[in-house]
């Protein structure tokens, strides 16, 4: 077992491992953790009772966090013509198609989200093996395949996040920074919980959300009470 820092140990002393916390109390506990040299990212993670190997139990979605993530999100857009111009005007960090695809094939992945127009997807699929594993592949279900590139760029920049269950049945997403006001973290967390609950596959049986934990970077996690996401979710 890795040796924990004194700061981590002090933070761990504030967490009661025998209980599950309401979301307000959990966030309040995280805000009491000893300071660190950078602004930690607050993450909400779920262990889901689904089998990601089955296509009808794949959980993915997107949600607009009311207060954003606190991160400067880098967005690239695969488009040409008017859609490309609109994306640039909306603040996209890089726009293109054949040239942008070539950059990605050459190793460029320094971005947080990718958007594409429907007619560009035939070309974008050539780099699916690069974008897919990183969770960057544009998808109509998350609003990242669209002709309205300006609206999509603005949404992502404003704090819309995408999430997808991993091969172990877990979903994890950043919901802000530890420096945020408690109310902002709580409201962001509730927005993500609501979205994940709504994303429950019809074929999922039994307990959908087995557990949920909120944590800040390099700090212990705080287990959430099932009432936060519904006992039968």
């Amino acid at each position: 077992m890795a040796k924990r820092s004194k700061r981590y140990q002090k933070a761990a002393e504030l967490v009661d491992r025998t209980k599950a916390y309401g979301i307000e109390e959990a966030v309040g506990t995280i805000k009491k953790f000893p300071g660190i040299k950078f602004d930690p990212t607050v993450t909400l993670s779920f262990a889901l009772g689904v089998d990601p190997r089955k296509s009808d139990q794949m959980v993915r979605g997107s949600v607009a966090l009311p207060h954003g993530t606190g991160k400067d999100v880098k967005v690239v857009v695969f488009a040409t013509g008017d859609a490309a111009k609109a994306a640039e005007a909306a603040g996209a960090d890089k726009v293109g198609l054949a040239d942008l695809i070539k950059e990605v094939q050459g190793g460029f992945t320094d971005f947080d989200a990718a958007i594409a127009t429907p007619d560009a997807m035939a070309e974008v699929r050539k780099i699916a093996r690069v974008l897919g594993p990183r969770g960057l592949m544009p998808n109509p279900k998350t609003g990242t395949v669209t002709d309205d590139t300006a609206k999509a760029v603005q949404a992502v920049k404003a704090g819309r996040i995408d999430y997808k269950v991993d091969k172990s049945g877990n979903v994890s997403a950043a919901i802000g920074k530890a420096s945020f006001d408690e109310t902002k973290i709580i409201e962001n967390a509730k927005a993500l919980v609501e979205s994940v609950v709504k994303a429950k596959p019809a074929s999922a049986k039994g307990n959908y959300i087995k557990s949920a934990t909120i944590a800040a970077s390099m700090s212990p996690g705080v287990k959430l009470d099932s009432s936060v996401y519904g006992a039968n979710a």
Side-chain angles (χ1 to χ4, degrees):
M1 184 179 293
K3 186 177 180 180
R4 300 295 191 180
S5 67
K6 289 183 179 179
R7 189 200 64 81
Y8 184 99
Q9 291 174 26
K10 287 182 179 179
E13 290 174 1
L14 298 174
V15 181
D16 184 347
R17 295 294 183 182
T18 66
K19 68 177 283 188
Y21 289 69
I23 202 160
E24 289 81 4
E25 188 180 8
V27 172
T29 299
I30 287 176
K31 292 287 286 183
K32 293 176 184 175
F33 287 169
I36 198 168
K37 293 181 180 179
F38 61 93
D39 191 2
T41 296
V42 179
T43 303
L44 183 53
S45 303
F46 304 86
L48 303 181
V50 299
D51 185 351
R53 295 172 298 178
K54 297 179 180 179
S55 60
D56 62 351
Q57 291 194 31
M58 178 58 64
V59 177
R60 72 183 305 158
S62 63
V63 58
L65 298 179
H67 307 289
T69 62
K71 179 181 179 181
D72 181 17
V73 182
K74 294 181 180 179
V75 183
V76 301
V77 179
F78 297 94
T80 58
D82 290 342
K85 293 177 182 177
E88 288 179 345
D93 296 273
K94 194 177 282 282
V95 181
L97 189 52
D99 55 337
L100 185 51
I101 288 173
K102 183 177 285 189
E103 282 191 60
V104 173
Q105 289 172 329
F108 171 62
T109 56
D110 184 24
F111 49 93
D112 305 295
I115 295 165
T117 54
D119 59 359
M121 283 303 293
E123 294 298 312
V124 175
R125 290 189 184 95
K126 294 177 181 178
I127 51 175
R129 290 185 178 180
V130 179
L131 300 181
R134 293 173 171 79
L136 296 171
M137 189 67 184
N139 188 296
K141 292 182 179 179
T142 60
T144 49
V145 176
T146 175
D147 283 314
D148 194 345
T149 53
K151 183 178 179 181
V153 169
Q154 290 166 353
V156 173
K157 290 279 190 180
R160 193 192 71 198
I161 58 170
D162 301 328
Y163 58 85
K164 179 181 178 182
V165 67
D166 65 20
K167 62 182 180 181
S168 299
N170 302 312
V171 163
S172 184
I175 56 168
K177 294 291 186 178
S179 61
F180 280 19
D181 291 341
E182 284 186 36
T183 301
K184 291 183 178 181
I185 300 175
I186 291 167
E187 291 178 354
N188 279 357
K190 288 181 176 179
L192 178 58
V193 168
E194 182 179 347
S195 181
V196 171
V197 169
K198 285 183 178 179
K200 179 181 180 179
S203 60
K205 305 300 181 184
N207 246 6
Y208 171 50
I209 298 179
K210 296 192 291 185
S211 65
T213 303
I214 190 168
S217 306
M218 300 177 67
S219 299
V222 181
K223 185 178 180 181
L224 298 180
D225 187 87
S226 60
S227 62
V228 171
Y229 45 85
N232 298 314

